[in-house]
Amino acid sequence: MTASASASCFRATLISMPWALFNRPSLQLAALKAYVEREMEAEITTLHPFLHIAAAIGIDVYRRISQTSWAGEALFAPLVFPGQRDKARRLFRESLRRSGVGGNLPDYDELVVTIDAACRSWLACQDFSACRLLGFSVCFGQLLSSLYLARLIREQGCSAPVVFGGSSCSGPIGRGLLRHFPQIDYVVDGEGERPLLGLCTFVTGEHDGLPEHVIGRIALATIPCHQLEDLDLLPLPDFRPYFTEIKTVFPELPFIPVLPLEFSRGCWWNRCAFCNLNLQWQGYRHKSAPRMTAEVETLSQAYRCLDFFFTDNALPPREADLFFHRQGQSGRDHRFFAEIRGTADRDQLAAYRSGGLHVIQVGIEALSTSLLQKMAKGLTVIDNIAIIRDSAAAGIRLDGNLILEFPGSTAEEVAETLANLDVLLPFRPLAKAVFFLGHGSPVCRAPRTFGISGLAPERRYRALVPPEIAQDIGTLIMDYRGGRRRQRQLWRPVADRIAAWHEFHRNRPQPD
């Protein structure tokens, strides 16, 4: 780029806050940077302050806190809303106790002070004077930290408009954020590439209207803006800034970075009654196996990484078969994590393992066929038991959840679950996941079908945010009434059995 071109270049900064996992760069920032820079004359800076906060409090402390998003949000709550400190402190301790990761952590108030100082120290080293747009990628667990840093940047005198985007800004939640937080000027509701590009051109004055899916404080004409149809046409994500920051923050590199990958957007099943993970997508799209193979090879060589994490809600089965077959033939020592549906058979899993798939997340959710039908999983108990067995046979570690207290569960379904837990005792234990009501999920859209009434913002969210704001904005997780006490009583034996299952495997002799 020539000096004159550089002087006229549009500059924007994109930020990812805690509690993103410190050993992974932000895929959202890397993808947006690459796309906007390809489509217009722009220089997009991506910043990962979560690295600096991890260094300030210690990577082990950061890792444990990041395992429970509520604890992480609680640490920023008093910085955004000082009056919430006592409630947030109680939530912090409760969340860590329930997750089992809270031993020997620093005092809550000490952590708040350290985090605040780390944010201010990081900010003192930044120069936003040439920045014409400032963006925050806001997924679950990143809202309060993003609100806090955006406010600090405003107080420092940065006049660039601020845009929030991500799953925590979907639908009415994004509009509510605009109503209550003056540090936000725009919200992207949905897929980010084309709306962000359109917002950049709007800021330059090239267009008079905002692109669809960008919400502002005042009503403006909108320009049609459709989501991307062919994901193969996306540029490779640009992770270079993350690795540059690592060299500064962690010069001795006390951890191995894992690169996030995106094979698809949305979910090809997209029917599970409890799921709200696809609010920002319109339909399911995926990359081709050849494109994914080339992407992994290029990223591996560029960043000297062998470990990869697929961010997909569910890998595309046919393309995944082709991809892992080619990986197996390549002889590369790549290691992958992916989330798949429980439809893969023994031969597929063996091929996946040969192609480097070491860990899978499978939505087991239930061990009762009638309960799986209520959840609209499209699977049976035999399917779930089979994939647990076949994954172990293939040498793949399976991480899965069992949803407890699903609304409308019966005593017969609990009894069936307990019987099937006995069958699974030799295998890696599932984790228990108490049902939560996700905003926008099929259960939330038709609550009475599941015996639910009286929706409200989730109790834990109300500990973080003043009630009038929580009620107006809404949340990704809702509170509700409808048989909850009975469900807790019904499912207590299952919770106890899962705890005993985990204890059995902790005490099980390990092979030499």
Side-chain angles (χ1 to χ4, degrees):
M1 184 180 295
T2 65
S4 59
S6 177
S8 63
C9 184
F10 179 85
R11 288 180 171 81
T13 299
L14 304 178
I15 295 174
S16 181
M17 289 295 285
W19 294 88
L21 299 182
F22 63 84
N23 66 331
R24 297 181 203 160
S26 168
L27 178 59
Q28 295 91 332
L29 267 55
L32 292 169
K33 170 182 170 63
Y35 182 81
V36 173
E37 289 185 342
R38 186 187 71 179
E39 298 296 317
M40 67 180 290
E41 189 178 327
E43 181 180 316
I44 308 298
T45 300
T46 58
L47 300 173
H48 304 76
F50 61 77
L51 287 172
H52 300 259
I53 292 173
I57 66 177
I59 58 174
D60 181 62
V61 172
Y62 186 101
R63 177 187 57 79
R64 285 189 281 163
I65 292 172
S66 66
Q67 291 178 23
T68 165
S69 298
W70 293 109
E73 290 279 60
L75 286 166
F76 279 92
L79 300 176
V80 182
F81 306 108
Q84 299 297 120
R85 179 178 288 266
D86 291 340
K87 292 180 180 179
R89 185 190 297 109
R90 288 194 293 271
L91 176 61
F92 175 79
R93 293 169 177 168
E94 172 192 333
S95 299
L96 292 176
R97 184 182 70 254
R98 290 190 174 185
S99 65
V101 297
N104 300 319
L105 281 180
D107 175 74
Y108 170 83
D109 294 285
E110 292 178 7
L111 280 169
V112 172
V113 170
T114 302
I115 289 170
D116 184 24
C119 287
R120 293 177 182 275
S121 174
W122 175 87
L123 187 54
C125 298
Q126 308 305 315
D127 180 7
F128 297 118
S129 59
C131 178
R132 300 185 63 185
L133 183 67
L134 191 67
F136 286 82
S137 174
V138 188
C139 297
F140 191 66
Q142 293 180 298
L143 179 58
L144 295 184
S145 59
S146 298
L147 287 171
Y148 182 59
L149 188 65
R151 194 188 75 197
L152 287 184
I153 292 173
R154 275 277 189 263
E155 291 173 353
Q156 183 180 271
C158 177
S159 60
V162 171
V163 57
F164 273 32
S167 59
S168 289
C169 304
S170 298
I173 297 175
R175 294 179 177 86
L177 292 172
L178 281 172
R179 285 194 295 273
H180 290 277
F181 299 101
Q183 62 266 50
I184 306 174
D185 299 289
Y186 303 102
V187 169
V188 172
D189 179 13
E191 185 171 275
E193 282 92 348
R194 285 179 171 169
L196 180 61
L197 176 64
L199 182 58
C200 290
T201 58
F202 172 78
V203 170
T204 65
E206 185 176 335
H207 292 126
D208 294 331
L210 285 173
E212 286 180 317
H213 308 296
V214 175
I215 309 163
R217 294 191 168 277
I218 59 175
L220 292 171
T222 58
I223 298 172
C225 180
H226 305 293
Q227 69 178 14
L228 299 163
E229 295 179 1
D230 188 350
L231 299 188
D232 277 359
L233 299 180
L234 284 169
L236 292 181
D238 188 347
F239 296 120
R240 288 175 297 173
Y242 172 83
F243 285 90
T244 298
E245 285 186 76
I246 283 181
K247 292 177 182 178
T248 302
V249 182
F250 296 107
E252 297 181 358
L253 196 60
F255 57 87
I256 298 175
V258 177
L259 286 185
L261 298 169
E262 183 182 53
F263 212 145
S264 62
R265 294 183 179 180
C267 176
W268 58 267
W269 177 250
N270 197 31
R271 301 177 196 174
C272 296
F274 51 82
C275 182
N276 69 339
L277 296 178
N278 300 293
L279 297 180
Q280 69 269 43
W281 313 122
Q282 299 173 7
Y284 181 69
R285 295 148 296 149
H286 60 77
K287 296 173 183 175
S288 66
R291 157 61 196 255
M292 200 71 251
T293 301
E295 184 169 327
V296 167
E297 185 66 23
T298 302
L299 294 176
S300 178
Q301 292 184 12
Y303 302 107
R304 304 177 68 83
C305 279
L306 298 175
D307 297 274
F308 296 90
F309 180 100
F310 281 106
T311 61
D312 307 51
N313 292 329
L315 290 187
R318 180 178 175 278
E319 297 300 320
D321 289 352
L322 295 171
F323 170 79
F324 285 113
H325 176 70
R326 294 184 181 189
Q327 286 293 309
Q329 290 183 322
S330 72
R332 304 294 190 197
D333 192 22
H334 296 144
R335 296 172 60 92
F336 299 96
F337 165 93
E339 184 164 351
I340 66 174
R341 272 183 53 80
T343 54
D345 61 30
R346 178 174 297 191
D347 291 340
Q348 282 179 298
L349 291 167
Y352 288 2
R353 180 61 181 82
S354 295
L357 186 59
H358 284 253
V359 184
I360 55 175
Q361 172 79 32
V362 178
I364 300 296
E365 325 301 8
L367 292 172
S368 160
T369 293
S370 61
L371 188 52
L372 286 165
Q373 290 171 346
K374 291 177 182 177
M375 294 177 177
K377 286 292 297 181
L379 297 166
T380 66
V381 169
I382 295 301
D383 294 325
N384 280 341
I385 292 176
I387 197 167
I388 291 171
R389 177 200 63 199
D390 294 343
S391 297
I396 297 175
R397 192 184 89 192
L398 184 147
D399 292 333
N401 295 324
L402 201 61
I403 295 179
L404 281 59
E405 304 175 25
F406 188 81
S409 300
T410 66
E412 291 76 16
E413 288 163 343
V414 170
E416 184 183 359
T417 300
L418 288 167
N420 286 315
L421 283 173
D422 289 340
V423 174
L424 293 174
L425 181 64
F427 299 100
R428 178 178 171 82
L430 300 173
K432 69 174 184 177
V434 175
F435 170 80
F436 64 82
L437 181 59
H439 163 77
S441 68
V443 174
C444 189
R445 295 198 301 268
R448 295 193 179 278
T449 303
F450 297 87
I452 287 175
S453 62
L455 302 183
E458 218 276 353
R459 171 188 63 82
R460 288 168 292 188
Y461 190 72
R462 286 177 279 160
L464 303 174
V465 177
E468 65 278 7
I469 297 179
Q471 189 65 42
D472 182 52
I473 291 178
T475 61
L476 285 176
I477 300 178
M478 306 294 292
D479 212 343
Y480 65 94
R481 295 194 301 271
R484 300 188 71 172
R485 181 176 298 177
R486 170 172 166 72
Q487 290 300 326
R488 280 195 296 271
Q489 293 171 344
L490 276 178
W491 285 95
R492 189 168 295 128
V494 174
D496 293 341
R497 187 72 60 85
I498 291 174
W501 189 9
H502 281 263
E503 185 67 19
F504 171 78
H505 279 269
R506 277 194 295 270
N507 296 327
R508 192 177 186 184
Q510 298 300 313
D512 294 333

